[in-house]
Amino acid sequence: MEEKLKAEKIKITPQRREIIRILTELEKTHPSFNQIYRAIKETQPNVSRSTVHENLKLLVQRGIIWSFNYKGETRYEMSPEPHVNLAKFNGEIKDIENEKLDEKLDEIIKILNEEEGIEIKSLLVLVEK
């Protein structure tokens, strides 16, 4: 991910490096802002909520990570590929890796693009269990 920051000409500060480490570590859990903030506070106790928020916002704006809202909470997504997420009753969100689903998502993207004239930036499907 640091390569993406360099490509976007974003300075790699200690806070950004730690955010990247935490995001990578929590990648499969689709962490919330609060989960990310608590994890960073363990290694950088002086970091402010606004610093974490502004850095996450920058990463989302530059398309390095993605965010989505689930039950009033902003969650962060690392995978740029279209895929299905499964939200469990306990709030855990995980990726479903299934080749048939991936093919169907590709079909949806193609239909939206060719028939509706919508160029898809990203596609996120969230299914509740």
Side-chain angles (χ1 to χ4, degrees):
M1 190 181 299
E2 284 191 22
E3 296 80 29
K4 290 180 182 179
L5 292 178
K6 289 176 186 174
E8 289 287 322
K9 296 183 173 49
I10 299 172
K11 184 178 177 182
I12 300 172
T13 63
Q15 293 88 355
R16 287 186 184 135
R17 183 169 275 122
E18 187 62 10
I19 288 170
I20 291 167
R21 185 188 72 74
I22 296 298
L23 286 169
T24 303
E25 185 179 294
L26 300 175
E27 177 177 6
K28 297 292 183 186
T29 67
H30 303 78
S32 68
F33 170 81
N34 287 327
Q35 289 170 315
I36 295 166
Y37 179 68
R38 283 192 303 267
I40 290 172
K41 287 293 278 186
E42 290 178 13
T43 58
Q44 296 196 1
N46 294 326
V47 72
S48 70
R49 291 181 70 82
S50 64
T51 296
V52 175
H53 181 266
E54 289 303 315
N55 278 286
L56 288 170
K57 183 175 156 184
L58 175 68
L59 295 175
V60 169
Q61 287 173 339
R62 297 291 182 95
I64 296 169
I65 63 172
W66 293 261
S67 67
F68 62 95
N69 286 315
Y70 179 67
K71 293 192 175 186
E73 204 173 36
T74 301
R75 305 296 283 258
Y76 294 89
E77 169 72 60
M78 302 289 289
S79 176
E81 300 301 318
H83 64 282
V84 175
N85 289 315
L86 174 64
K88 296 183 178 181
F89 181 72
N90 65 2
E92 177 186 340
I93 300 174
K94 70 173 204 161
D95 293 340
I96 296 178
E97 296 178 18
N98 180 294
E99 197 170 301
K100 287 181 185 178
L101 285 174
D102 293 343
E103 290 171 8
K104 296 297 181 191
L105 292 175
D106 290 340
E107 287 178 35
I108 291 170
I109 291 169
K110 184 177 179 181
I111 291 167
L112 288 170
N113 189 317
E114 293 176 0
E115 295 181 21
E116 300 296 326
I118 301 169
E119 189 171 326
I120 301 296
K121 184 172 131 181
S122 68
L123 176 65
L124 173 85
V125 177
L126 185 63
V127 180
E128 289 186 303
K129 183 176 180 179

